[in-house]
Amino acid sequence: MSDEELRRDPAATPTQRPLVEVAIDAAGGSADRAYTYAVPPALDGLEAGEAVLVEFGRRHALGIVLGPGAMAPGIVSKPIIDRVRTDGPLLPARSVELARWIAERYLAPTSLVIRAMLPPGMLERLELVVERTPGGEGAGGDGDDAGMEAVDGTDRELLDRIGFAPRVVRDLETPSGRAALIRRLRTLEASGRVTLDWTLTTAGAGPRFERRMRLTDDGRVAAANLAAGVRPPGRPLGPHQIELLVALEGDRSIDGGRPTAGTSAGVGASTVTSLARRGLVAISVVAVERRPLARRRPGHRGARPSGSDLTGPQGTALDRIRAAIAEGDPTPLVLDGVTGGGKTAVYVEAIGACLDAGRPVLILVPEVALALPLVDRLRRDLDAEIALVHSGLGEGERADEWRRIRRGEIDIVVGTRLAVVAPLAEVGLVIVDEEHDGAYKSDRTPRLQARDTAVAVARLARAACVLGSATPAVETMGRVRDGTYRRVVLPLRPAGAPPTIEIVDLRAELAAGNRGLISRRLEVAIRDLRSAEGERGILVINRRGSASAVLCRDCGAVQTCDECARPLVFHQAGMSLRCHHCGRAAPLATRCPACGSPRIRYLGGGTQRVEAEVRSRFPGLRVGRLDRDVVERRGGAERVVDAFTDGRLDLLIGTSLVTKGFDIPEVALVGVVSADIALNLPDERSAERTYQLLTQAAGRAGRGDRPGVAIIQTYQPDHPAIRAVAEGDAAAFYDAELTARRRYGAPPFGRYVKLTVGLPDPTVAEAMATATADRLRILAAERRLSVEVIGPAPAYIARRAGRWRWNVVLRGTDPVALLDGGLGPAWSVDVDPETLL
């Protein structure tokens, strides 16, 4: 962009003008923070969330206004160059406040946070657009030719090339060069003949336009004559033309007319064009919204059986949520209860109360596969406009849903963690379903925790906040116990009965010669499924990541670090075991340190292997699979979930995706193929995640008239997490976990920050990690900060994309204070990480 193209002449000096803070959308570390600019007189009234053009260093860049700014004494702010034309502010004021909070909380550049709040590609193309003023005659003109005498032939030719539609200036070719073209356009702008605006011209995220046709008045007369057997006057109509006229006469109820593309077999574009020339058909171009739910019918079932009442605990929860909506109380309410305890029924009634109060609702779910079943129930029970937001949508679909939300046309937003930054202006109720789920933590910048961000959304909007889960996160339970959060328990299922839980000792299976993935007990249970009567089953693999636990198959002992008692991880590079907490290395054991057995194995296996074994052993069953590979295929999760829900699959195999959100009365069997892989990962949340997954998985069974059974296969039947599930003793599990976390200062009693460096040279990467850890320890001591620096240690996946990765972990009450905003481009910073691996 040239200086001539961007020049403006503010009438007042910057120091006399209001100041605003601007987030710069530009690459490079210098754009990581906001900058202060002066507002020239021509731009008075700039609002937070508006896009502007600013001078940034020696270039010009797009910026987003964050709000009022302040400049240190003696420093003169640069003026904003111009406003970028959009339909009002890109984001409502509440979203700008949220962007500031996310940037500060997770040490992310505000500009990147704002990008995450907008549809993909919205900020990519900034263009100078020229448009003729009405009539193109200039100020004071009153006709097509009035005032044009003052326009020389060259400018008249330029106006003719511009035409009467907006044109991108770079598309106007001129032999005199771009700078001269800009000067001519500025002159025409000063005379009132054109307007020049900086505009975001979206590509993939832009609206979809469609050519449509409809009958004119003459066309309706012709169609009526044809229906009466009367030949219209003029040249005879061909058979395809007659067919189209008749079809259009039947489409009079269609808003905007019929699309010209794909009208009917044999009717092509030439037929449409010929009818338009005869004045029988009018053609127009309209913007068509892409709606993910347009072709999906509402679900067969609502949140509860028709005519049934809420139980007493459900009524108590609903009363408290209604009171919070009325009072604008954002204190989170933890809706805790058994699986199948009726949380969705409470959600639906609370949503209705919020909509009656005239405020929209935000609902988060952890996975794409859970969004559609919830939407189906909401559409069955509520007459409301619902928007769906998740990563499985196309860019155009996401953009159109974003626009509908921004325009205030939506009553309910349902989505994964992406939805937490949806541009809802006055949200009245925020619901986080399955709030414990690790999928709410983003693995890319901004690395926000959507559950915690949702709590911030409720606080900023003075909205009611509900965190629902049958297995709340340990830190959530800690906040309940210290009084920060409130809690309502749903102790019983409104329908069905709790499943019978059986533990299968895989050590005994191995001793009996069974080396397959499916135990004899689980095999019998699968064979006993009455699939002809509609009974269904779910098989779960408790697996996270790609590595395996090192475990003795005779006694179940796991090799652990002598220093911190965490499971060791096998590294093929160097053929050694390493602790991912403190970094200590240990040699591979040839015999079990506990029992002396030589049968040490690296537990592994995935859903595809289980699927192959099941298909081989049970050829009569209709089997489906739901895992990341399926979810990442467009529409894959929807097809599998719908097939299982509708009874077109007998057995569903998957990872943790199949353990949550499925409320299907016909599920009589749940089998956990292996509870040990994730249980023995070297991460302090491994026991919590295993307890949650097993409890959630078992809770899928027995929700209807059929009794349910859950079979858990494990090499460690005496592990506290597994015993807690088998005995239904949640309180004891949370007591033990909170006691351990208090001792280590882990959440909710402290916070973590994980720092990761990745470099092509492993030696340099380790040296940088060591030097950084040492420097941070010295800094913590100098500032007298209560922050412990742990590591460095190799990352769980030590090499990724050709880079060797090392972690340094900060632990304390405020570890972010030690970083002064960041560490540099070689490092990634993960505040409140979901895992320390």
Side-chain angles (χ1 to χ4, degrees), residues 170-368:
R170 74 169 65 245
D171 293 341
L172 294 173
E173 298 180 3
T174 174
S176 57
R178 184 172 175 80
L181 172 63
I182 297 297
R183 284 195 295 270
R184 289 169 59 195
L185 290 174
R186 293 294 184 205
T187 300
L188 290 173
E189 181 186 31
S191 65
R193 292 184 172 86
V194 300
T195 59
L196 282 169
D197 293 289
W198 288 100
T199 305
L200 289 171
T201 58
T202 53
R208 180 166 65 92
F209 293 97
E210 185 174 81
R211 294 177 77 238
R212 290 192 175 179
M213 56 186 171
R214 58 178 176 80
L215 290 180
T216 62
D217 292 341
D218 290 343
R220 279 193 288 274
V221 171
N225 288 336
L226 288 170
V230 179
R231 177 179 170 277
R235 191 171 64 254
L237 296 171
H240 290 162
Q241 293 173 323
I242 293 174
E243 177 186 346
L244 184 55
L245 284 176
V246 172
L248 290 176
E249 176 65 15
D251 286 346
R252 292 178 67 178
S253 61
I254 298 178
D255 186 27
R258 172 186 283 211
T260 58
T263 52
S264 66
V267 178
S270 60
T271 301
V272 178
T273 303
S274 63
L275 289 176
R277 286 174 179 167
R278 294 184 64 167
L280 302 179
V281 168
I283 298 175
S284 59
V285 178
V286 298
V288 180
E289 289 187 332
R290 293 152 284 205
R291 298 195 177 190
L293 300 174
R295 297 181 181 177
R296 188 174 181 87
R297 292 179 288 108
H300 302 299
R301 299 170 56 230
R304 55 193 167 101
S306 178
S308 63
D309 296 325
L310 295 179
T311 64
Q314 286 176 317
T316 299
L318 179 59
D319 289 342
R320 298 183 71 173
I321 298 170
R322 282 174 170 164
I325 294 172
E327 298 167 6
D329 182 0
T331 305
L333 176 70
V334 178
L335 192 57
D336 177 15
V338 297
T339 52
K343 293 185 294 296
T344 305
V346 178
Y347 296 160
V348 169
E349 296 297 329
I351 292 167
C354 188
L355 297 182
D356 288 344
R359 300 181 71 182
V361 178
L362 171 65
I363 309 174
L364 300 186
V365 294
E367 301 285 355
V368 173

Side-chain angles (χ1 to χ4, degrees), residues 464-538:
C465 181
V466 179
L467 307 179
S469 176
T471 54
V474 170
E475 53 260 53
T476 298
M477 288 299 292
R479 294 185 179 109
V480 167
R481 294 186 179 187
D482 69 15
T484 305
Y485 292 176
R486 300 168 296 175
R487 180 188 183 209
V488 173
V489 178
L490 305 179
L492 299 173
R493 286 184 170 184
T500 301
I501 298 177
E502 301 179 18
I503 305 296
V504 174
D505 190 340
L506 290 180
R507 297 171 300 182
E509 290 288 315
L510 183 64
N514 181 9
R515 297 181 178 273
L517 294 173
I518 297 175
S519 67
R520 292 167 296 177
R521 174 67 186 96
L522 184 54
E523 179 180 6
V524 170
I526 295 174
R527 293 195 186 281
D528 288 345
L529 269 180
R530 294 176 293 180
S531 55
E533 300 177 19
E535 283 190 353
R536 283 161 244 171
I538 295 174

Side-chain angles (χ1 to χ4, degrees), residues 33-112:
R33 66 180 182 86
Y35 291 82
T36 300
Y37 287 84
V39 180
L43 302 182
D44 278 344
L46 270 180
E47 300 179 48
E50 284 200 68
V52 293
L53 194 68
V54 297
E55 185 179 351
F56 185 62
R58 295 185 177 180
R59 54 182 169 154
H60 297 88
L62 178 69
I64 307 295
V65 176
L66 300 178
M71 184 61 74
I75 298 178
V76 177
S77 297
K78 294 179 180 179
I80 292 174
I81 296 171
D82 206 348
R83 175 187 270 117
V84 174
R85 188 173 70 179
T86 57
D87 294 329
L90 287 176
L91 294 170
R94 200 81 69 198
S95 292
V96 176
E97 290 183 70
L98 180 64
R100 287 174 173 270
W101 182 88
I102 292 172
E104 181 179 349
R105 170 87 178 188
Y106 298 103
L107 297 183
T110 311
S111 57
L112 288 183

